[in-house]
Structure formats: C-alpha cells, structure tokens
Amino acid sequence: MDPLLQKLNAAQREAVLHVDGPLLILAGPGSGKTRVVTHRIAHLLKQGVHASQILALTFTNKAAQEMRRRVEQLAPGERVWVSTFHRFGARLLRERADLVGLGQNFTIYDTSDSRQTLKRVIEAEKIPTMHYTADRIAAGISSAKNKLITADEYQPRSSSPLSSVVARAYPAYQERLLASSAVDFDDLLLHVAKLLKDNPEVRAELDSRFRYVLVDEYQDTNRAQYVILRALSLDYPNLAATGDPDQSIYGWRGADLNNILDFEKDYGQAKVIRLEQNYRSTKAILRAADMLIGHNQRRKKKALFTENDEGAPIRLVTYADQDAEASAIAQQIRAAIDSGERKASDFAVFYRINALSRSVERALRAHRVPFQMVRGQEFYQRKEIKDVLAYCQLINNPKDDVAFVRTVNSPTRGIGKKTLDALNDHAYRYGTPLLDAAREAGLIEGLAKRSATKLSQFVALVEKLASRAAGPVEEVIGSVITESGYRQRLVDSDDEEDASRLANIEELLTDARQFDEESEGEFEGGAGLEEYLERTWLVNETDNWEDDSDKVTLMTLHAAKGLEFPVVYLVAVEDGILPHERSSMDTQQLEEERRLAFVGITRAEQQLQLSLVRRRDFRGQRRMAVPSSFLMEMPTAEMDTDHGGQTFEIDPWEQFELPPEEEVWTDPNAAEPEESKPSISAAITTAAELSGEAAPKPSHPPQPHTRFSPDDFSLDMTVRHPEYGLGKIKSLSGAGKRRAATVEFALAGERRIVLAHSPLEPVGNKG
DNA sequence: ATATCCGAGATTTTT
DNA sequence: TCTCGGATAT
C-alpha cells in the first residue's frame, strides 16, 4: 500500500484520496485533521497537480507554519502556498492595489492604529457620537466590513441608534484610510472580496491559478472570507473545507456558522467526510464533552468515539473562594512535579476571561511553579517598537497619517497639540495626507512661524531617511534610530524604563538583521522594507508561544483552540462567567459559550479538572457564585467530586434557596440570571468554613429608595433614567428584587436594568 | 510637556 | 478592583 495511506483510518484515507470536487471534512477534536490535510496535499502532488496550483488558507500564522512544516516533511521541496487569509489578502492586494484605489505601498493598520484614525476622523468631521465610544463605533464598522457591506452601501437601521452613528463615521473613516493609503485588518479581506466580485477577468484568472483550495477552520470564516473562497472555486470547484461547527467560537468577530452548515447547499455534490475517531482524550473526557455539546441545536451531529482508555474520572471541585481554588491547583501541580509523575509543561489552566488569571498566577508563583501566560501582541505593540516602526512606515508610505502623528513629536521636537490640530484641520480640509500638509506648513493659517519651521525640519528628516530606504532593513532602522534622535533620547534618560526600551530597540535591530539574512536567499538582494513591515503587521506574539519550554500554560479558552495538554484545569465554571453573563440572553450566543466549554474540555488528554467557587470577588464586588448550567449537561454523577482527601458529603446538585441576607444582588449593569433556568447551587461545606474561618459577611446592595416598585413597570412603557435619558421598555424578566428590564434608550442604546436598584422612573401614561 | 486626579467601564481578540 | 482615557494643574 501507498506509504502515505498507512496509519490512516478509513475516513481519513477517503479524505486524503479525494481529488476533484468540493469536499467538506467535519473534523472532531483530536481526530487528526492536520494530518489528513497535509497528506491530501501530498497526494495531490503525487497525482501530478503542480504545487503552484494549490492554495492552503489558515487563520493563524501558527497554523500556517505548522502546515508548511508538515507538507515539507511529506513532500520536500514542493512550494505549496500556505498562508493565512490576511497575508494572502495582503499579497493579492499589493498586486492589484490600483483596482481598489490604493497605492501598492499601502500600510496595514493594526487595531489601535485604526482606532486612532477613527477617533481623529470623528473629531475632525465633528460627527455626533451620541455617547457611543469609539470602540463601539469601530465594532459597528468592523462588523459591517465582515458582512461585506461597504461604506457607501451601509444603511442605518431605524431600530439602532448606533447604526446611524456608524452610517456617518464609516464613510468618513474609509475615506481617510484611502487618503492615507492604508487598510485595516478587515479591509485585507473586504478589498479582496470586492476586487474579485467587480473584476470577472481577475477572478477567473485566480480561480484557474488556484485549482485546489484548502481551508482550515472553515467554521470561523466570515462573509468576506466566504465570498473570497467562493470566487476562487467557481470554474474549478475543488474547495476542501475542514472544520468543526462545534468549535466555532468566533461568532462575535463575525464568523458565520452558516458557512459550514450550508456547505453542501453552496457546493453541489459536495462530499462530506466525518472524522469521528478521537486520538487525544480518554473515554471519560470525551464522553463529557460529547454530552455537553449534544445540547446545541445548530450543529452537525457527529458520533465521537475513542479507542483510548477510560482514564481517570473528571474531577469536579468546589472551593471556598478563588484563592483556595488557585492554591489548590498550584499545590496539585507542584506535587505532581515533585513526585516526578508530571512535568510543568503537561499542565494548562484555562479561564473564560483574562481577569481570572490573577489568582492563579499568584498561587503558581507562591508555589514556585514555572508558568507562561499566553497574551497576544506584546513585542510589536511596545511603544518604542511601534515608534521606530512608524518611521519606517512613513518612509514606505508618506501618506500614512498614523505614522506621521506617531513620529512627528517623538522624540519631542516641540511640536505640540496646537500645531498638530492646525495641521490636522488643514489636511482634512484639503483631503491631503499630514506629511504633505506639513510640507506647506508656511501657508497654514493660524500656525506660528516657529511651529512651521519645526514641521519643515521634520519633513526634511523624513526625506533624508527615505533616501536610504532601499538598503537592507537593518541599515534602514539603524539610520532611523540614529538620525531621528530616538536612540540618543533613550541613552540620555536616567529612567530605568528607558533603559529597557533601548534594549528592545536593539532587539529590533537584531530581528531586522535576521530578516535580511533569511530573505537574502529568497529574493534578489534581499527583501525590502515593505516585506519586513508586512511581517510585523501580520505576525503576533501568540506565535511566539513556546511549546518547548517546561512551563505550565495559562490561557483563555479562546486561545486554547488547536492545542492539547495531558492535564487541563478549567476554572470558574460558574454561571455568569462560563457561560458569560453577556451571552445568557441569546440562544445563539449561549450555544457559542457551550462550544467554548467544549473546546476547553477537549484539549485535555488524560486528566481534566473543572472547578468553581462559592464566593467570587470580582471587580471589587463579592458575589455568591452559582455553578454553571453547563455542569448539568454533563455526566456529573460519574465525576470525582472528592477534594484533597476531604469528602464533600452533600449532594452538590441539591437545590436550595439562598438565605435572604445572603441574597445575590446584581449591579445595574450586569445581566440577571435567566429566571426560567433551574437554579442550581452548591451546598457544600468548604474548607474555609470547616477551619473555623468566619462566614463571609453578607454584602449589601445600595438601598433602593425609589418611589416605584419593580411591578410598576410594564412592557413598552416609556421611562426616564437620570443618566441615560428617555427610553422604552423592550422586555422584562425576573420577579421581585430581581425583576429586570431591557430598555432601549433613545440616546444611550439598549441597557439592562435591575429595577429594584435603579433610579428608573415611568413617564406619564400607563402604570 | 509632564504629573495626577477622577470617573467610567470592564468577554473573548486568529489578523 | 484595576485600568485607561480625558481633563486639569504645574
């Protein structure tokens, strides 16, 4: 038999052997998906398909690297294009930038660059924001872009005040991006999708060039990505999509689950293959995961199974508070390492929100357990790095306003806010980039002579630097930090923070040298500044997560996707955290939370511990925690609820009423737990109480003193809030003290308000 | 131009 | 409780 096919199960083999026509691989967790995809590429090559006809798209750099590495193993020397969606978009866009009105030297703005641009636009154009933050507006723009709605197509919905703000801001923002010859992350996809739609000959050419397109994590594609893939698979519909609807956790970023659910509808005669055998986890772990995800409606059913051992039962533990939770975990890990049973890198701790990492970090530190936290975007986000790179951006793309603003007074050159405001006004009035405006500084009214001179000096500096842009990147950056005075400023400073900044800049030089050396072989005379910049834009820190160092890994559930660990701890399996309170109102969002839990659980190979606490201090407030409703959807009866030799005798699932003085109260901004949901709570004797520690003091809500009782409010009623103004009640839930209303305010948008604790009052009619 | 003070707001974040 | 941004003071 073909050695390529050995060690593959029947379903995997079938997928690998598939050549022509659309293919959907539904790959359960740990089912050998990457192996199948890479083997399939190798098989295609063996069948005589040319490497240049194959395009493999992933979401992360890490995934792309891994895939490239494994293809190289199977088919050495073949140059298959494996890339992230965004990098692919950037490449294509550089070739055809003219078609969408960009220069080919366009800049890619990261999230904070684009946020800054939006703020300046709103300010300069005096766009009324109606109390919406730039972040909210940016999110609105982004979600429109994800849905492939362009600035001139965008229509506000009358039901959403935010959308009318977006309708004003979006075109202005987009115009400014274009004037700066810049794109944001979303544009990399939007422009490409639009380009393919509007230019049939380009589309046809690319469709035929990329005969075989493979996509990873298809469940996470948004509308723009869908359209791109579709455009590349019309004449040659050999699209192979790999994914798992049950692991779709980026709906909030625009991922559209329908893309994968409707694959067979979109691509006639699609072959669907299910990879259902799991090679990663024990039976006990897989069973719980499967049972949990079975509660989702929007999915494609899979019959997950494993030939692995039954394994240890899942542990389900309740601790007194988060410190007890964290130190117990740290202790367990410490003990396992000390006994030689495990090494640190065998462990991972997952949490729903970053804020929960604190206590775990502290405890691990206290127990001297080495750990690494996976936090995206560090190195390139550092101020000094961004500053220096901004000079490079400006050299590469003189229209880049963000780079201009960043560099113009850094190091300080006496160009302050006033100067910048005048310059900004001028630039917006004439629709020119800031650097061009600075060139004619002498002509700007309201600008002091001194300021104008300083601006001219800056322009001269930029021109001088630009004249050297063609050399090796290391030299370019070298002259930037010297000529700009940036290095000198840091050298002169006696702030120790600046010393480390200096070190970081030196590190950047090293990085650039490496880049020069690496690209030497690939391009004639090395790759240019632009390629270097593109790499800094599209690579992030998560890619640098060291999987070879012997440390415990701490990360959010989102970051955990695609990884696996022998032992996994999932903390704070509590109502309001997992599922997150912001998701509890909407079934689709709730299902996404369930998938998030599913992803977390299925990362575990041998052991899994789910934990929760009775009392959680969060945002300075103490709350009695309620076990996650997801726990009821898992086989808790077979789990091990024993904790550190101390047995909990009371059935954790016995329902009980909270004593009145310990009543959970909710702050006005927090969502109320669903009333219809059966409330479960752990009546467990905790270690703290056994050890005689005083019972937690009941916390007191601010005393409600309204003249109105919660029952005075009814549906559709018009109400007034001292802060948010007038609004209308859209829905009501809960009863008594917990009765809460969702109010649509004319100015402030939709808010959820717990009536007993709010100054909300009815207006006029009804009662 | 920098220090510092207050208030609001606070999921998740592949690129 | 903590952090970030805007406003104000020095």
Side-chain angles (χ1 to χ4, degrees), chain A residues 555-572:
Chain A
M555 55 170 67
T556 63
L557 285 167
H558 282 88
K561 194 168 71 160
L563 305 175
E564 55 187 18
F565 299 88
V567 186
V568 166
Y569 291 90
L570 177 50
V571 301

Side-chain angles (χ1 to χ4, degrees), chain A residues 400-696:
Chain A
D400 185 341
D401 284 353
V402 168
F404 180 91
V405 172
R406 222 188 157 90
T407 50
V408 72
N409 201 35
S410 164
T412 51
R413 304 187 170 89
I415 300 173
K417 189 162 165 20
K418 268 192 99 174
T419 312
L420 225 49
D421 280 347
L423 191 70
N424 205 36
D425 278 355
H426 183 86
Y428 275 76
R429 183 155 342 121
Y430 298 100
T432 69
L434 290 171
L435 186 63
D436 285 346
R439 277 181 223 282
E440 45 194 43
L443 306 174
I444 299 174
E445 56 180 311
L447 200 60
K449 189 101 177 273
R450 256 173 66 98
S451 310
T453 315
K454 288 185 172 144
L455 281 173
S456 303
Q457 285 168 348
F458 178 69
V459 173
L461 169 67
V462 173
E463 277 167 357
K464 187 171 175 195
L465 291 170
S467 68
R468 310 202 184 133
V473 179
E474 185 191 4
E475 284 174 27
V476 178
I477 294 182
S479 55
V480 163
I481 58 184
T482 314
E483 312 263 339
S484 68
Y486 203 95
R487 174 189 267 147
Q488 200 55 49
R489 200 209 73 199
L490 293 180
V491 172
D492 293 344
S493 160
D494 34 40
D495 187 339
E496 51 186 281
E497 189 110 350
D498 283 336
S500 92
R501 292 210 173 103
L502 195 58
N504 284 332
I505 286 179
E506 302 299 341
E507 205 182 319
L508 183 66
L509 278 170
T510 310
D511 183 60
R513 186 178 331 122
Q514 264 171 23
F515 176 82
D516 287 330
E517 281 161 11
E518 281 165 24
S519 56
E520 193 73 28
E522 281 194 52
F523 300 85
E524 282 295 307
L529 188 57
E530 187 160 293
E531 281 80 9
Y532 181 72
L533 287 173
E534 187 156 311
R535 197 180 67 150
T536 68
W537 292 324
L538 297 179
V539 166
N540 80 52
E541 192 81 353
T542 322
D543 304 328
N544 299 342
W545 172 68
E546 318 160 45
D547 33 7
D548 48 355
S549 69
D550 188 20
K551 290 172 180 165
V552 175
T553 299
L554 267 59
M555 55 170 67
T556 63
L557 285 167
H558 282 88
K561 194 168 71 160
L563 305 175
E564 55 187 18
F565 299 88
V567 186
V568 166
Y569 291 90
L570 177 50
V571 301
V573 187
E574 294 153 24
D575 203 57
I577 293 177
L578 181 67
H580 194 275
E581 60 187 353
R582 301 263 263 252
S583 311
S584 60
M585 281 111 67
D586 175 285
T587 333
Q588 294 212 358
Q589 285 187 54
L590 195 67
E591 291 207 348
E592 182 152 311
E593 295 289 307
R594 196 177 278 114
R595 292 194 289 268
L596 204 45
F598 175 78
V599 165
I601 291 167
T602 54
R603 300 308 97 194
E605 295 168 6
Q606 297 157 25
Q607 285 178 46
L608 173 65
Q609 171 173 312
L610 309 174
S611 61
L612 55 146
V613 301
R614 292 202 60 199
R615 163 168 32 93
R616 185 165 297 276
D617 293 323
F618 192 52
R619 287 190 203 151
Q621 282 174 2
R622 173 160 292 185
R623 289 223 231 167
M624 301 310 291
V626 176
S628 168
S629 54
F630 293 160
L631 290 170
M632 290 190 302
E633 303 171 353
M634 288 192 263
T636 47
E638 65 182 50
M639 291 184 188
D640 176 8
T641 52
D642 178 81
H643 166 46
Q646 173 196 328
T647 309
F648 295 115
E649 286 163 18
I650 305 165
D651 175 7
W653 311 118
E654 181 189 295
Q655 254 177 262
F656 79 105
E657 293 293 319
L658 287 166
E661 65 271 34
E662 271 197 8
E663 170 124 36
V664 180
W665 66 280
T666 321
D667 79 292
N669 297 318
E672 192 78 351
E674 239 4 293
E675 192 203 17
S676 55
K677 189 164 25 180
S679 159
I680 50 172
S681 200
I684 294 176
T685 315
T686 61
E689 281 162 18
L690 287 174
S691 65
E693 188 192 282

Side-chain angles (χ1 to χ4, degrees), chain A residues 28-101:
Chain A
S31 61
K33 173 193 66 172
T34 311
R35 156 181 284 208
V36 167
V37 172
T38 52
H39 281 243
R40 177 160 179 272
I41 292 173
H43 181 251
L44 287 174
L45 292 167
K46 218 171 218 178
Q47 296 297 105
V49 175
H50 197 269
S52 66
Q53 294 181 309
I54 302 174
L55 171 66
L57 294 172
T58 65
F59 278 81
T60 65
N61 291 299
K62 198 181 169 66
Q65 270 164 24
E66 172 72 0
M67 197 174 288
R68 226 174 280 134
R69 190 181 67 75
R70 289 172 67 168
V71 169
E72 174 64 24
Q73 248 172 26
L74 294 171
E78 295 275 14
R79 296 175 66 98
V80 175
W81 195 355
V82 182
S83 162
T84 63
F85 266 103
H86 292 262
R87 209 181 260 267
F88 172 76
R91 266 283 187 99
L92 220 59
L93 214 49
R94 294 247 182 251
E95 286 173 26
R96 317 280 170 144
D98 54 306
L99 293 178
V100 294

Side-chain angles (χ1 to χ4, degrees), chain A residues 204-512:
Chain A
E205 183 207 319
L206 293 170
D207 189 347
S208 110
R209 177 161 150 208
F210 303 117
R211 291 294 163 91
Y212 296 89
V213 179
L214 297 94
V215 209
D216 199 21
E217 309 279 17
Y218 191 63
Q219 76 281 356
D220 289 333
T221 50
N222 62 27
R223 186 76 201 163
Q225 285 157 332
Y226 171 87
V227 166
I228 292 171
L229 292 170
R230 187 89 188 134
L232 296 177
S233 322
L234 284 178
D235 307 327
Y236 300 92
N238 306 317
L239 176 65
T242 317
D244 181 1
D246 293 337
Q247 294 181 63
S248 164
I249 54 177
Y250 286 102
W252 54 277
R253 284 283 283 108
D256 187 351
L257 197 50
N258 291 322
N259 290 164
I260 194 166
L261 295 178
D262 292 343
F263 187 87
E264 294 146 273
K265 233 188 280 167
D266 296 333
Y267 295 88
Q269 289 110 50
K271 178 178 242 177
V272 181
I273 294 172
R274 290 179 152 72
L275 302 182
E276 296 171 314
Q277 180 168 2
N278 174 297
Y279 297 94
R280 179 186 296 153
S281 308
T282 63
K283 287 196 174 69
I285 291 168
L286 195 63
R287 198 161 48 234
D290 190 49
M291 204 173 278
L292 172 69
I293 203 65
H295 285 80
N296 270 9
Q297 298 302 314
R298 296 184 73 215
R299 64 188 295 253
K300 285 182 180 281
K301 283 217 173 74
K302 286 189 295 310
L304 299 180
F305 70 99
T306 182
E307 285 170 5
N308 292 344
D309 293 343
E310 167 63 22
I314 294 173
R315 289 162 48 79
L316 172 58
V317 191
T318 301
Y319 299 101
D321 58 31
Q322 51 209 337
D323 292 326
E325 181 183 45
S327 58
I329 290 170
Q331 255 166 51
Q332 287 176 35
I333 294 176
R334 177 81 267 166
I337 293 172
D338 289 347
S339 72
E341 187 190 345
R342 299 275 184 197
K343 51 190 199 304
S345 58
D346 288 343
F347 298 92
V349 182
F350 300 153
Y351 31 84
R352 173 66 241 261
I353 49 180
N354 284 122
L356 295 173
S357 71
R358 280 193 113 86
S359 48
V360 181
E361 283 171 65
R362 213 177 321 138
L364 289 174
R365 222 169 267 130
H367 290 266
R368 314 260 125 114
V369 177
F371 66 91
Q372 61 178 334
M373 247 202 306
V374 177
R375 283 269 174 116
Q377 317 188 334
E378 295 266 286
F379 185 67
Y380 292 114
Q381 291 287 40
R382 278 181 216 140
K383 185 182 180 306
E384 60 278 14
I385 301 294
K386 286 204 77 165
D387 284 347
V388 172
L389 288 175
Y391 277 97
C392 299
Q393 278 176 231
L394 191 57
I395 294 166
N396 183 243
N397 172 13
K399 294 180 177 174
D400 185 341
D401 284 353
V402 168
F404 180 91
V405 172
R406 222 188 157 90
T407 50
V408 72
N409 201 35
S410 164
T412 51
R413 304 187 170 89
I415 300 173
K417 189 162 165 20
K418 268 192 99 174
T419 312
L420 225 49
D421 280 347
L423 191 70
N424 205 36
D425 278 355
H426 183 86
Y428 275 76
R429 183 155 342 121
Y430 298 100
T432 69
L434 290 171
L435 186 63
D436 285 346
R439 277 181 223 282
E440 45 194 43
L443 306 174
I444 299 174
E445 56 180 311
L447 200 60
K449 189 101 177 273
R450 256 173 66 98
S451 310
T453 315
K454 288 185 172 144
L455 281 173
S456 303
Q457 285 168 348
F458 178 69
V459 173
L461 169 67
V462 173
E463 277 167 357
K464 187 171 175 195
L465 291 170
S467 68
R468 310 202 184 133
V473 179
E474 185 191 4
E475 284 174 27
V476 178
I477 294 182
S479 55
V480 163
I481 58 184
T482 314
E483 312 263 339
S484 68
Y486 203 95
R487 174 189 267 147
Q488 200 55 49
R489 200 209 73 199
L490 293 180
V491 172
D492 293 344
S493 160
D494 34 40
D495 187 339
E496 51 186 281
E497 189 110 350
D498 283 336
S500 92
R501 292 210 173 103
L502 195 58
N504 284 332
I505 286 179
E506 302 299 341
E507 205 182 319
L508 183 66
L509 278 170
T510 310
D511 183 60

